[in-house]
Amino acid sequence: MSNVKSKVKSQSLLPGRFRVYFWDTPFTGRELLDWPEHTIERVLEYGQWKDIRFLRGIVGDEAMRSVVKSSRRLSPRTVNLWTILLDISKRET
């Protein structure tokens, strides 16, 4: 997952609507810069399509694939969905 941080643009602040995905921490908008893997996990797990598309436009499919392949926090249903949508082999998760 270390390559995910390198894919995030330095000015990639999250809009205020992303606050709902970080209910357990103070939201700053810098979550994607500070914790890119965690942010991607939250949005893939709980996100609305418009927020997923927004995030996908910033980090790209390769970063999202990396998180889906290595995450232990995503639910099996979420992993299954993203293996289909991102064309990931089930063996890689």
Side-chain angles (χ1 to χ4, degrees):
M1 281 202 281
S2 60
N3 69 341
V4 174
K5 194 160 193 142
S6 65
K7 303 260 186 214
V8 177
K9 299 171 189 157
S10 62
Q11 57 277 78
S12 299
L13 296 178
L14 295 175
R17 70 177 189 258
F18 279 74
R19 183 179 315 273
V20 298
Y21 307 123
F22 300 95
W23 62 88
D24 55 342
T25 59
F27 181 77
T28 64
R30 293 185 44 84
E31 285 71 14
L32 187 56
L33 297 169
D34 297 337
W35 306 291
E37 294 90 359
H38 179 69
T39 302
I40 294 170
E41 287 172 339
R42 288 276 176 114
V43 176
L44 290 179
E45 186 73 37
Y46 304 110
Q48 296 180 9
W49 284 114
K50 69 178 180 177
D51 296 333
I52 292 168
R53 282 193 309 270
F54 176 86
L55 186 66
R56 197 173 183 183
I58 294 173
V59 300
D61 286 353
E62 198 52 48
M64 294 177 84
R65 278 188 195 96
S66 177
V67 170
V68 171
K69 289 177 186 179
S70 61
S71 176
R72 300 278 185 220
R73 292 185 212 112
L74 293 174
S75 70
R77 292 179 85 176
T78 298
V79 170
N80 187 55
L81 171 68
W82 287 105
T83 57
I84 294 167
L85 294 177
L86 294 172
D87 196 29
I88 302 170
S89 167
K90 299 253 186 196
R91 287 179 270 132
E92 295 180 77
T93 60

